[in-house]
Amino acid sequence: MEQNSLIKGKIHYVGVNDRSKYLFEGMWPLPYGVSYNSYLIDDEKVTLVDTVDINFFEVYINKIKRIIGDRAIDYLIINHMEPDHSGSIRLIKQQYPNIIIVGNKQTFGMIEGYYGVTGQQLLVKDCDTLDLGYHKITFYLTPMVHWPETMMSFDTTEGVLFSGDAFGCFGALNGGFIDTRINTDIYWDEMVRYYSNIVGKYGSPVQRALQKLNGLPMTAICSTHGPVWTDHILKVGSIYDKLSKYESEEGVVIAYGSMYGNTEQMAEVIAEELSAQGIKNIVMHNVSKSNASYIIADIFKYKGLIVGSPTYSNQIYPEIESLLSKILVREIKDRYLGLFGSFTWAGAAVKRMVDFATQSKYELVGDTVEMKQGMNDIIHAQCKKLGRDMAQRLIADRK
Ligand code: FEO
């Protein structure tokens, strides 16, 4: 019997670590890797909760067999169908042909569509229960956290929540998988980045899920990415609560594009004035160097956003255009916005970015600043004023 994998009761961790993938979803960097978590409940009814990316199936099945040997698995609970978790369903079904797949009415069509897997199913509705012997599982449907079929499974015996993507973070697990046995420092920023990049659009569904879970006597949160949370349940809950309400701290993200350093000089003047006015949290991102993943995470953190773009072929600079699109897709709410930019013979970027202000419904702070060619005293003063106006708007919110 494998004991290092035990979480509590008869629940084991059987997840895997991916330290090879560069970009999650083909977009988001993974400097610390990522884990795909799955859980095995070695009860009278042996039960698997979610699976792992198919590329790790051999490691995964060996972990399972080290715990249950040649015994069969009775149930496979599918909380979420995104392929980083559902990828091994077909191979699990081949290993355990009599396994009963547990899901809701949104789940089974996806299983057949992705993997051609049919067979024995147990359809559950909100608050249905499943008795495994020692452990008793209650299901909570939590659509759009982060796909339509997502649900969570709560073990009422030990107070363990299998939460799917919710409460997850980037970062592989280095040895230990429970927060009490590892240094958790790297995971907090990686949680903000994970939430803002992956789940960020779904603030309202996350809020509804948090309300549904409110009051459950949780002793552990077992999500599909990152550590099992036991000591930090309140902290993790409060991070997800704050992010899903789009709550922000005092501070400003200045995101700019600059081909030859002229727009960058404007950004520097604005930032210096913000600092001179008493704003301490100022994050500057050259969009051609900073990956959008980190810029979006910072925009989730801070109330102020100042965007600078050169005019490029009569358009917004493409890297800025891409960032603005990512912001709109995530429907990040309630920010203060400043705009600036530059051009050589005909200005277009700043005018076009005003459309972004309308679409995002952000409060436009100060006057937009548009520079022809290089810095001069007039533009310098206008940039300072934009920095000052943003600082004063933020300071006015101090209690
Ligand atoms: Fe980790 Fe939405 O999948």
Side-chain angles (χ1 to χ4, degrees):
M1 161 66 78
E2 177 61 70
Q3 284 304 323
N4 279 347
S5 59
L6 193 64
I7 298 172
K8 52 176 61 188
K10 298 170 187 292
I11 301 168
H12 293 260
Y13 179 83
V14 287
V16 298
N17 290 300
D18 188 343
R19 298 189 181 84
S20 302
K21 191 189 286 275
Y22 280 99
L23 297 173
F24 193 79
E25 292 185 343
M27 287 181 279
W28 317 112
L30 294 169
Y32 304 108
V34 66
S35 70
Y36 310 119
N37 299 342
S38 171
Y39 303 92
L40 181 66
I41 308 174
D42 185 14
D43 210 332
E44 286 170 33
K45 294 290 185 185
V46 178
T47 300
L48 198 55
V49 182
D50 290 312
T51 72
V52 300
D53 185 302
I54 191 170
N55 293 307
F56 295 85
F57 184 74
E58 192 170 351
V59 175
Y60 178 52
I61 196 69
N62 286 338
K63 284 189 168 199
I64 291 170
K65 287 190 179 293
R66 216 165 282 128
I67 295 166
I68 59 170
D70 291 332
R71 281 184 296 139
I73 301 178
D74 297 285
Y75 294 115
L76 168 58
I77 296 171
I78 297 296
N79 285 326
H80 184 22
M81 273 301 295
E82 197 162 4
D84 49 338
H85 312 297
S86 67
S88 294
I89 289 178
R90 182 169 39 215
L91 295 177
I92 285 288
K93 182 77 177 172
Q94 282 171 12
Q95 289 271 333
Y96 304 101
N98 296 321
I99 199 167
I100 299 170
I101 301 182
V102 182
N104 59 69
K105 67 178 181 190
Q106 302 276 359
T107 316
F108 297 114
M110 290 189 188
I111 295 177
E112 190 171 357
Y114 269 114
Y115 306 111
V117 168
T118 54
Q120 293 200 78
Q121 300 170 349
L122 177 63
L123 179 86
V124 295
K125 300 186 298 301
D126 204 29
C127 298
D128 278 359
T129 59
L130 181 63
D131 189 343
L132 307 182
Y134 176 71
H135 292 281
K136 326 277 182 206
I137 306 291
T138 302
F139 301 97
Y140 293 98
L141 270 53
T142 53
M144 303 317 299
V145 186
H146 123 252
W147 278 15
E149 84 303 350
T150 45
M151 64 180 193
M152 301 191 196
S153 307
F154 182 64
D155 164 40
T156 53
T157 309
E158 291 281 353
V160 175
L161 180 71
F162 301 99
S163 63
D165 281 345
F167 312 116
C169 60
F170 292 136
L173 300 170
N174 302 321
F177 53 85
I178 297 188
D179 57 357
T180 50
R181 294 192 218 144
I182 56 177
N183 183 330
T184 57
D185 289 355
I186 64 157
Y187 297 107
W188 304 115
D189 279 348
E190 289 296 88
M191 182 171 284
V192 174
R193 202 163 62 83
Y194 175 80
Y195 179 89
S196 58
N197 292 183
I198 309 299
V199 193
K201 178 181 172 65
Y202 304 108
S204 301
V206 171
Q207 276 294 308
R208 281 195 288 279
L210 290 174
Q211 279 155 23
K212 198 177 254 193
L213 302 173
N214 190 25
L216 288 182
M218 281 179 223
T219 62
I221 295 176
C222 295
S223 88
T224 45
H225 298 290
V228 170
W229 301 110
T230 59
D231 261 13
H232 297 288
I233 289 174
L234 290 178
K235 180 173 178 178
V236 167
S238 108
I239 290 172
Y240 265 71
D241 183 43
K242 185 177 159 195
L243 290 169
S244 57
K245 288 178 181 159
Y246 302 95
E247 283 181 5
S248 52
E249 300 166 30
E250 181 184 291
V252 180
V253 177
I254 303 177
Y256 64 91
S258 192
M259 290 175 277
Y260 300 103
N262 293 299
T263 314
E264 185 170 57
Q265 279 187 48
M266 300 173 80
E268 294 284 5
V269 175
I270 294 165
E272 283 167 19
E273 186 62 19
L274 281 164
S275 174
Q277 294 289 329
I279 301 301
K280 290 187 177 170
N281 295 319
I282 302 166
V283 189
M284 300 184 69
H285 285 292
N286 178 337
V287 294
S288 301
K289 177 126 187 262
S290 297
N291 188 286
S293 172
Y294 294 87
I295 308 175
I296 291 165
D298 284 331
I299 294 170
F300 263 81
K301 269 189 213 165
Y302 296 119
K303 181 79 174 177
L305 170 63
I306 302 181
V307 184
S309 174
T311 291
Y312 190 89
S313 298
N314 203 35
Q315 301 291 329
I316 298 172
Y317 189 60
E319 300 300 317
I320 290 288
E321 182 99 64
S322 169
L323 175 66
L324 299 183
S325 156
K326 289 182 174 75
I327 295 168
L328 289 175
V329 163
R330 279 157 190 77
E331 299 176 20
I332 305 170
K333 295 180 190 11
D334 196 25
R335 295 294 186 270
Y336 299 146
L337 179 68
L339 296 173
F340 67 99
S342 68
F343 64 95
T344 301
W345 68 94
V350 171
K351 285 187 206 75
R352 291 180 189 277
M353 288 197 298
V354 172
D355 292 342
F356 166 76
T358 309
Q359 286 178 274
S360 63
K361 301 190 177 74
Y362 293 166
E363 180 180 328
L364 200 53
V365 172
D367 296 323
T368 59
V369 185
E370 195 167 26
M371 177 174 79
K372 184 174 183 180
Q373 296 153 10
M375 181 63 76
N376 58 40
D377 288 348
I378 295 170
I379 295 296
H380 193 277
Q382 289 175 349
C383 288
K384 275 186 79 170
K385 182 168 182 307
L386 177 55
R388 190 161 59 250
D389 288 345
M390 179 61 83
Q392 286 171 355
R393 187 67 190 88
L394 291 167
I395 288 166
D397 285 345
R398 287 179 185 168
K399 301 272 187 301

